[in-house]
Amino acid sequence: MEETVNFMRLLSEESTHSTLSSDSCEYYQTEIFDQLPSIQASRPEQNRHGSLGGCGGSEPGQRLSHDHLSRGPRDKTSVQPLRNLPMCIQAKRSARDRRKMQISNIGFWESWRRSQSISRRRVWAQMGETLSGLLPWRHTLHVIEGRFGVGVKSYFVFLRYLVHLNLLHCALISGFILGPTTFYGRSNNSEPLRFGDNDSVLDFFLGSGYLDRSPVFFGFYTRGSLDLPCLNTPLLYLAGILTILLLSLIMVVRRTTVGYKHTWMLGKRYSMNVSFKIFCGWDFTIQDPDGAALKRSFIRNDLKLFLEEQSFSLRAAQRTLGQKVRLYLLRFILNLLVLSLLGGAFYLIYFSTKTSLYEKEHYWLLSLVLQYLPPMTITFVNLVLPHIFRKISSFEDYSFTTQVNATLVRSIFLKLASLGIYLFFLTTTKQQQSPFQCSENKFGREMYKLCIFNFLATFCNAFLLNYPRKLLQEKYPTSLLTRLLGKQRFLVPFNVLDLVYGQTVGWVGVYYCPLLPLIGTVTLVATFYIKKFSVLRCCVAEQRMFRAATSSVLFHLMLLLGLVMAAVTLGFNLYQPGTTPDENMFSCGPFRNGETLFNVTGLCVDSLPGAAQTTVRYLASEAFALPLILAEIIILTSYLSRRRANQKAIERLKDMLVMSSSDKRFLVKQHATMLRRGKNVNRVRSAEDTPPIHWKDPPPCI
């Protein structure tokens, strides 16, 4: 049975008014089809397969066309709403008429299915628009995007995401911890909560006194009337904390993978050339004329950055051996300087932590400063060293993108490592304190002070540094101090690092300070308005465009590292080798009278039926680890195979796009040749049909 090949042509005035017959058109189309570059490129492979598989079969062009038609994507425009189609009004009306004709030709069931699909899409679109309209600060984000671009907006979007995440944490804390404590009460020997004579306002900054006895910290929650084997305050408390960490892990991993997929799709595999930057780089959400001028400067600076990177690549390729040796030696010395600065910062954190933990009775102001000495040291280190790293990277002769990435990596390591060093010193030195102190509350107070001081540093930086600097620039724009300070710019990476640092502190301290997510939500909302004031009132736009899409992956990856640090710290504090109930006689919170995480869960398992006990013990044993590892290996192997198949499909589609563009250029050339040939034939025919003109001889002159 012969295969038929269907050809679809674009209609034009020349094609509709052509004088060629249908047979000649079909012959010409078949001849042109055989001359397409894609057919010519695939012919050697088809000849090879034909020689291996024997003679016979259909023509190569027909077989390739049939394969393309069989593998072609299904047309989904017939089920999409008309307003979602990128067409003009006249084209949408024509599409609506075609749909009506198709509905009259198809059956009732298919017509009903298409109408229901269109209705569902319309309902989902309306629900999405309604939910997006309920998002807070939508208008503010639009204004910031119009004046400063998408990069600065990405910071505020990330901040809003952290607010939503902390609100989810507050809901879980209310359901698992605050709710049972409120309805079932506390233990009978618990002291009532009242403001004592020794309490003061400083307790709200230090986390001591009245605040130490309040629901803010771990020691407030004790066993109440809810005291069942598998439903009691310790298990609910532990379940709430683990649920918070697990949901945070799922949400952060999801956003990280989605961002990585977007970056991978728009990364090195698909190069953005200069024509794309010029013709597709405009942001149509800009409404302000100043924002439009800013966007033009962004595109100009992006092109300058592209040219700088190209010139840097050429300059790097032309380096001699001696220049490379001197450059590597300079980079080695600068990296030693960076390591020395990091070591000095870590020692400074250790010294401040030791001084704060062993401070004696002093005047209240000096005592307050000593209590906040570790947070002040960490904030000072995180504020100064990233700018020093930024200056150091400018001397290492890297490209601008590599300079930004090197500064970000060093700043990330600084922030997380400084917090990790502080937590290590805090957990190793707390055993030397008085055994009659609640160690969990003491650890929670340190996290509480870190959170409070981080917000105070943000407030002071905005209203005591940035705003007076802006007033000085407005009143004395030509002064020497104004020229030395320069214009303020909103550095998105460093500000996002501050957000990640605060969220990591919240995750680390949520077990010891259950209301820390609520405090974090309030401080994040206040931080949003402080940063909004700082950006709109005090800052000018950055000269070089910040690539928010590519750096968001790094931000969420750093957030994931902070979550891992919080989980490791919690696991280390819950189970410390060598720590037994006899070594620390005083206990507070849900786990009292020698109770620990392990014996509470063990009592719950022992109270279950026999089959449930066997199942739980098997899931917690080493025997379950082997099938779990095998299942993970199978799943990872399947995903790896799918990734390789998708990568091959992407390469094939890229080749098809390249050959399609070649076919289009070839067809345009053939069409132009046909038009020129037709015009020449018509000119010759008109010349032949015109009768010759006979000139009469002029009369002779007399």
Side-chain angles (χ1 to χ4, degrees), residues 102-104 106-117:
Q102 291 177 0
I103 291 174
S104 62
I106 62 178
F108 173 77
W109 173 254
E110 183 67 20
S111 173
W112 180 83
R113 188 181 65 82
R114 290 189 180 184
S115 62
Q116 291 299 316
S117 177

Side-chain angles (χ1 to χ4, degrees), residues 173-185:
I173 291 293
S174 301
F176 282 93
I177 299 176
L178 289 178
T181 304
T182 303
F183 288 110
Y184 293 97

Side-chain angles (χ1 to χ4, degrees), residues 210-439:
Y210 174 80
L211 210 62
D212 185 64
R213 304 187 303 269
S214 67
V216 175
F217 291 104
F218 178 86
F220 176 82
Y221 303 95
T222 58
R223 281 180 178 264
S225 59
L226 184 63
D227 197 9
L228 300 176
C230 287
L231 188 61
N232 48 56
T233 303
L235 286 180
L236 289 176
Y237 192 95
L238 185 64
I241 301 301
L242 294 180
T243 304
I244 287 175
L245 296 179
L246 182 61
L247 286 180
S248 300
L249 178 64
I250 294 173
M251 295 177 66
V252 173
V253 167
R254 178 182 176 276
R255 289 182 69 94
T256 304
T257 53
V258 170
Y260 175 75
K261 181 174 65 175
H262 179 73
T263 305
W264 183 81
M265 290 296 294
L266 298 179
K268 296 181 180 179
R269 297 178 179 269
Y270 298 95
S271 60
M272 302 299 177
N273 51 18
V274 181
S275 62
F276 179 84
K277 295 177 184 296
I278 295 175
F279 296 106
C280 302
W282 187 254
D283 190 357
F284 290 94
T285 60
I286 296 177
Q287 297 179 345
D288 191 9
D290 296 334
L294 177 64
K295 186 63 179 179
R296 287 195 296 269
S297 66
F298 277 169
I299 296 176
R300 182 177 63 252
N301 292 326
D302 197 17
L303 293 175
K304 291 169 61 178
L305 175 60
F306 175 77
L307 295 176
E308 288 178 4
E309 292 178 349
Q310 294 295 324
S311 62
F312 174 81
S313 301
L314 294 176
R315 189 172 68 253
Q318 296 174 357
R319 289 171 183 164
T320 61
L321 181 60
Q323 292 176 349
K324 291 182 180 179
V325 171
R326 288 193 297 269
L327 179 60
Y328 292 152
L329 181 60
L330 177 62
R331 290 176 180 176
F332 178 74
I333 295 174
L334 292 177
N335 283 312
L336 287 180
L337 178 60
V338 170
L339 292 178
S340 302
L341 291 174
L342 290 175
F346 296 155
Y347 178 77
L348 193 61
I349 293 172
Y350 166 73
F351 178 77
S352 62
T353 305
K354 186 177 180 180
T355 305
S356 176
L357 291 177
Y358 292 97
E359 60 94 13
K360 305 299 182 181
E361 294 294 334
H362 297 287
Y363 183 62
W364 68 270
L365 184 58
L366 182 59
S367 177
L368 179 63
V369 172
L370 289 176
Q371 287 285 336
Y372 271 93
L373 188 59
M376 291 169 61
T377 305
I378 294 175
T379 304
F380 174 76
V381 166
N382 293 332
L383 182 64
V384 175
L385 285 188
H387 296 281
I388 298 179
F389 293 158
R390 189 183 178 190
K391 292 294 183 181
I392 290 176
S393 63
S394 62
F395 293 100
E396 292 178 326
D397 198 11
Y398 288 120
S399 63
F400 178 72
T401 304
T402 308
Q403 290 180 17
V404 173
N405 292 333
T407 305
L408 281 177
V409 170
R410 290 167 180 170
S411 302
I412 289 170
F413 181 76
L414 170 67
K415 285 184 176 291
L416 295 183
S418 60
L419 182 59
I421 292 295
Y422 175 64
L423 293 176
F424 174 75
F425 292 147
L426 192 63
T427 53
T428 54
T429 57
K430 71 177 184 180
Q431 297 178 0
Q432 303 176 6
Q433 303 301 315
S434 175
F436 298 100
Q437 294 181 358
C438 184
S439 58

Side-chain angles (χ1 to χ4, degrees), residues 619-637:
L619 294 177
S621 63
E622 294 84 358
F624 181 69
L626 181 60
L628 184 62
I629 293 175
L630 291 178
E632 291 178 354
I633 292 174
I634 293 173
I635 294 174
L636 291 176
T637 304

Side-chain angles (χ1 to χ4, degrees), residues 137-154:
W137 308 314
R138 186 180 181 184
H139 177 69
T140 302
L141 294 179
H142 187 68
V143 172
I144 293 174
E145 182 183 9
R147 290 184 56 182
F148 294 90
V150 185
V152 179
K153 177 192 172 184
S154 64

Side-chain angles (χ1 to χ4, degrees), residues 551-578:
S551 299
S552 61
V553 180
L554 187 61
F555 296 152
H556 287 92
L557 181 61
M558 186 178 57
L559 198 63
L560 183 61
L561 293 178
L563 181 59
V564 172
M565 178 187 294
V568 171
T569 305
L570 179 60
F572 180 78
N573 288 337
L574 288 180
Y575 180 73
Q576 295 184 10

